[in-house]
Amino acid sequence: MSRLRYRPWWFARRDDGGVASIVGILAATGVLLATAALTVDVGQLYAEREDLQNGADAAAMAIALDCSHKRVSECQAASATAEDYANRTARDGQADPTRVCGQDRTGWLPPCSAMNLERNATACIGSRPASGINYVEVYVRTERPVSSDRYILPPSFAQTLLGGTTAKGVGACARVAYGPPKHGLAFTINVCEALAAENKVVPYSPWPPSSSDWGREVYLGVHGPAGRTCNPGTPPSGWSLPGGYDWLDEVSLCQFVLGDDGIYGGGSGSPPSQDCKDALDDLRDSARIVAIPVYRWERGTGSNIEYQIDHYMPFVVTGYHLPGLSDPSIVTGDDPCSGNDTCIYGFVLPFDAPIQDEVGEAVDGDLKLSVIKTIG
């Protein structure tokens, strides 16, 4: 056993320099240099791509915001907006927005179908929305301050190592849809009622509002068919001045979908469905923002009432009082309505509140509340 444990000094050291030999072989054959070139140059491509994508995303969001809020001059200056955001998000301060296009009901954006994309422009993910949905696409590519070809990204390591390596361009694309919410609560109030409520706007964040804002809680529908009165103007032929409030025709779960030209239907005095009662409970418990449709004119009689939308109002439900069913405000504890009153308690939020919904079809005019979503 002692002989087995004994190892001569020359035996123990005969593998000295093995690592150095391997490194020397790899260096001589170019493996290490090629690995370094791959790491450095591919990393540079990924960093450039990230810069460009950030710029495209920021530009598309900014343009969608301008167009959705009908800021005409800013929306029409979409290319300048894209260049500004693309350059500001690039680490070297330079990027080239090759194309800005879209689909907008107003026609302020050039259509994407009429454009030939520049080389090195990366296509957006997925397909474009159907006709009627507003969207904007922004394409961004590499831009170098000084180069024989300013729109390519030369490989730093590989070009030094091999010389004459063909450089490639890097591009990115972002597609953002914008427009009114596709769905809203199947309950509508007239523009006079809405104007009174919107004078008590509370900030969305933090939530719930502080006790100093509890006095801003509003009660929608409390005035019944008479409603609050104001002078919204002279109604078009066939339409009449607004009354009070109404439950609307539902598509599902107490939701309604805005029809063509901003028209939607309901039934005067119709009671809320069980789905609407369940939906009010869910909205109260989740503090989720819901779009309340506000109408300017009405026409028809009985259960065949039609409404012309004026705008959407962002609202957080805190409680309700329906005939035979009452649930006091979860924030203030108040339940001021009684008997056969129909009241929805809650807080009106700013029009830039982050409502979560699908983007609906565009209509003429500014509905104030918008959904803006990245879709490609």
Side-chain angles (χ1 to χ4, degrees):
M1 295 296 293
S2 63
R3 294 174 66 89
L4 290 175
R5 288 195 299 267
Y6 173 73
R7 301 180 69 185
W9 62 268
W10 49 266
F11 180 82
R13 300 197 318 182
R14 68 181 182 179
D15 58 351
D16 284 2
V19 174
S21 299
I22 294 173
V23 171
I25 293 170
L26 292 176
T29 56
V31 174
L32 289 181
L33 293 176
T35 303
L38 182 65
T39 302
V40 172
D41 292 339
V42 171
Q44 181 176 261
L45 288 173
Y46 273 104
E48 178 74 4
R49 177 73 167 76
E50 183 180 2
D51 278 356
L52 295 176
Q53 191 62 60
N54 288 340
D57 290 340
M61 278 286 183
I63 294 167
L65 190 61
D66 287 337
C67 296
S68 67
H69 289 291
K70 302 296 184 288
R71 295 195 278 259
V72 181
S73 59
E74 290 88 345
C75 181
Q76 291 176 323
S79 294
T81 300
E83 183 171 4
D84 177 43
Y85 278 85
N87 289 335
R88 279 199 283 164
T89 55
R91 297 177 210 191
D92 60 0
Q94 286 204 279
D96 179 42
T98 59
R99 287 289 184 267
V100 177
C101 60
Q103 178 172 272
D104 188 274
R105 185 181 178 96
T106 61
W108 292 335
L109 297 175
C112 295
S113 58
M115 290 193 165
N116 295 318
L117 298 179
E118 298 283 352
R119 65 183 180 87
N120 298 331
T122 303
C124 286
I125 299 172
S127 57
R128 289 167 177 157
S131 175
I133 303 294
N134 291 336
Y135 70 90
V136 59
E137 289 182 5
V138 176
Y139 295 82
V140 180
R141 65 178 177 177
T142 300
E143 183 176 19
R144 316 302 291 178
V146 179
S147 174
S148 57
D149 188 342
R150 63 186 302 185
Y151 303 117
I152 63 173
L153 184 66
S156 303
F157 207 111
Q159 190 171 40
T160 302
L161 182 64
L162 303 176
T165 302
T166 302
K168 299 294 183 182
V170 183
C173 173
R175 181 189 298 119
V176 173
Y178 60 92
K182 183 176 181 179
H183 305 99
L185 186 66
F187 177 82
T188 189
I189 60 174
N190 67 53
V191 67
C192 305
E193 187 84 6
L195 290 174
E198 288 163 4
N199 286 329
K200 297 182 177 181
V201 171
V202 300
Y204 173 67
S205 182
W207 189 263
S210 64
S211 57
S212 62
D213 286 325
W214 287 3
R216 294 177 176 270
E217 188 176 51
V218 298
Y219 314 137
L220 303 181
V222 69
H223 301 282
R228 288 181 176 155
T229 59
C230 64
N231 183 16
T234 303
S237 177
W239 294 85
S240 59
L241 292 171
Y245 65 88
D246 193 10
W247 295 97
L248 303 175
D249 298 334
E250 303 173 41
V251 290
S252 65
L253 303 176
C254 202
Q255 294 181 328
F256 92 103
V257 175
L258 192 63
D260 293 339
D261 299 320
I263 307 297
Y264 50 100
S268 179
S270 58
S273 67
Q274 185 59 50
D275 277 350
C276 283
K277 296 173 184 176
D278 293 341
L280 289 174
D281 284 335
D282 176 68
L283 290 168
R284 177 206 57 204
D285 295 340
S286 65
R288 180 167 53 88
I289 305 171
V290 67
I292 301 287
V294 176
Y295 68 96
R296 180 169 288 272
W297 319 115
E298 62 181 333
R299 66 185 176 190
T301 58
S303 60
N304 296 309
I305 305 291
E306 288 187 323
Y307 301 93
Q308 174 68 58
I309 194 166
D310 183 83
H311 65 277
Y312 283 108
M313 182 173 69
F315 196 75
V316 171
V317 175
T318 57
Y320 55 86
H321 182 102
L322 307 176
L325 182 63
S326 179
D327 200 330
S329 167
I330 198 171
V331 174
T332 65
D334 291 344
D335 187 14
C337 297
S338 61
N340 290 325
D341 286 339
T342 294
C343 308
I344 296 178
Y345 309 144
F347 292 91
V348 181
L349 303 182
F351 287 109
D352 59 356
I355 185 168
Q356 299 296 316
D357 194 25
E358 299 175 62
V359 178
E361 291 195 17
V363 300
D364 291 333
D366 183 4
L367 301 187
K368 297 185 180 180
L369 186 61
S370 298
V371 178
I372 301 176
K373 298 183 71 173
T374 298
I375 58 171

